[in-house]
């Protein structure tokens, strides 16, 4: 069976144990409850900026049932579709995220296969990203869009997209965007030392495949930092005379 099929079976067993264990956990904040492998993938989206989106709540039996429904399809694509549908229906709540973390903990305690645990981490990460998208400010949503354009290679296109956003009535202002970019960049800088230690520890203890994956994430993180920094430069330069003129003309 695939890791997703194994996860579905493990989640069903773990959810049954977690849902009826006592007492129910109290709500937790991102500082006390995080995915075991959150750093690499969360950075491009600036999860540190949208802290409320990663908060969890004490899960109810209904939350466990919804989470089991999300993973029972047995495929990664099916899981993504189920998460997005739950989000659109307003059912992807901190309680469901709390259920996911509880199931993950139960899976660890029961010694589930490493592939199942890794898949579980990725499911939690994807759920968190969808919640972040739902709760993101207009500035964060704009950054998501601009990051896909690659500001390092398509500065002109990014500048035009920024100008269009700034010119939209009730839209994002230059100051809004600049402030959020600054906090994102500072947040990533705070994690630099953590990442250096993470890579150094993995170099001597991980398998070749695991180390290559860690390095891939580390390189992706560096790319995200470079793109965010370039976005900040373009944004700040657009506040100059030429940038203002472009928006006015638009």
């Amino acid at each position: 069976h695939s890791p997703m099929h194994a996860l579905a079976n493990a989640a069903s067993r773990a959810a049954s144990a977690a849902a009826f264990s006592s007492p129910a956990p109290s709500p937790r904040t991102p500082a006390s409850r995080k995915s075991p492998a959150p750093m690499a993938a969360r950075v491009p989206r600036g999860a540190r900026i949208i802290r409320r989106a990663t908060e969890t709540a004490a899960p109810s039996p209904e939350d466990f049932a919804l989470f089991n429904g999300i993973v029972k399809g047995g495929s990664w694509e099916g899981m993504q579709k189920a998460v997005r549908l739950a989000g659109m229906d307003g059912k992807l709540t901190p309680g469901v995220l709390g259920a996911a973390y509880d199931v993950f903990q139960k899976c660890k305690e029961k010694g589930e296969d490493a592939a199942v645990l890794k898949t579980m981490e990725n499911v939690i990460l994807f759920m968190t990203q969808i919640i972040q998208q739902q709760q993101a400010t207009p500035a964060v949503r704009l950054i998501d869009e601009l990051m896909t354009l690659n500001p390092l290679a398509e500065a002109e296109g990014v500048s035009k997209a920024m100008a269009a956003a700034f010119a939209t009535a009730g839209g994002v202002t230059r100051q809004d965007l600049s402030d959020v970019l600054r906090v994102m960049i500072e947040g990533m800088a705070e994690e630099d030392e953590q990442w250096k230690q993470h890579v150094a520890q993995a170099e001597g203890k991980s398998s070749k495949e695991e180390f290559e994956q860690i390095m891939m994430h580390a390189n992706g993180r560096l790319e995200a930092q470079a793109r965010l920094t370039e976005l900040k430069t373009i944004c700040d330069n657009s506040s100059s005379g030429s940038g203002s003129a472009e928006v006015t003309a638009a």
Side-chain angles (χ1 to χ4, degrees), residues 39 42-43 48 184-200 218 221-222 225:
M39 291 192 295
R42 81 179 180 199
V43 167
R48 290 172 68 93
M184 282 185 171
I185 293 167
E186 289 175 354
M188 293 186 75
E190 290 173 7
E191 294 177 338
D192 282 347
E193 188 58 36
Q194 235 181 325
W195 257 99
K196 289 177 184 176
Q197 294 176 7
H198 184 51
V199 172
R221 183 178 183 277
L222 290 174
Q225 281 181 303

Side-chain angles (χ1 to χ4, degrees), residues 1-9 70-72 74-76 79 119 123:
H1 292 298
S2 70
M4 278 301 300
H5 277 100
L7 172 59
N9 293 331
I70 285 173
V71 298
K72 74 177 182 181
S75 72
W76 182 254
M79 181 279 299
T119 302
V123 170

Side-chain angles (χ1 to χ4, degrees), residues 161-182:
M162 247 184 226
F166 296 154
T168 301
V172 181
T173 67
R174 291 185 185 86
Q175 193 61 52
D176 289 339
L177 185 61
S178 181
D179 288 346
V180 172
L181 284 167
R182 175 180 54 78

Side-chain angles (χ1 to χ4, degrees), residues 13-135:
R13 295 191 299 269
S16 296
F20 298 103
S21 60
S22 60
S26 59
R28 295 174 176 130
T29 64
S32 61
R33 195 174 203 178
K34 298 177 182 177
S35 167
M39 291 192 295
R42 81 179 180 199
V43 167
R45 249 175 225 293
R48 290 172 68 93
I49 312 307
I50 328 166
R51 290 183 182 276
R52 69 182 182 278
T54 54
E55 291 178 355
T56 62
S60 66
E62 290 76 18
D63 293 324
F64 283 109
L66 179 57
F67 176 72
N68 274 345
I70 285 173
V71 298
K72 74 177 182 181
S75 72
W76 182 254
E77 294 75 15
M79 181 279 299
Q80 288 179 310
K81 182 178 180 181
V83 169
R84 289 194 175 98
L85 286 174
M88 291 172 61
D89 291 341
K91 296 178 180 178
L92 196 61
T93 64
V96 178
L97 191 59
Y101 277 108
D102 278 5
V103 169
F104 176 77
Q105 186 60 37
K106 291 293 182 183
C107 286
K108 285 180 66 177
E109 292 171 0
K110 290 179 176 295
E112 295 289 352
D113 187 77
V116 172
L117 297 178
K118 187 63 181 177
T119 302
M120 184 72 201
E121 290 176 10
N122 291 333
V123 170
I124 289 175
L125 179 61
F126 185 73
M127 290 173 63
T128 301
Q129 289 176 341
I130 296 300
I131 294 174
Q132 288 171 352
Q133 289 175 7
Q134 293 174 334
Q135 301 186 0

Side-chain angles (χ1 to χ4, degrees), residues 180-229:
V180 172
L181 284 167
R182 175 180 54 78
V183 177
M184 282 185 171
I185 293 167
E186 289 175 354
M188 293 186 75
E190 290 173 7
E191 294 177 338
D192 282 347
E193 188 58 36
Q194 235 181 325
W195 257 99
K196 289 177 184 176
Q197 294 176 7
H198 184 51
V199 172
Q201 291 170 358
E203 189 172 11
K205 298 180 181 179
S206 302
S207 67
K208 180 180 177 182
E209 184 181 46
E210 289 171 335
F211 184 69
E212 287 177 351
Q213 187 176 38
I214 289 170
M215 289 306 300
M216 181 181 68
H217 288 320
N219 290 333
R221 183 178 183 277
L222 290 174
E223 173 73 10
Q225 281 181 303
R227 290 191 183 195
L228 287 171
T229 300

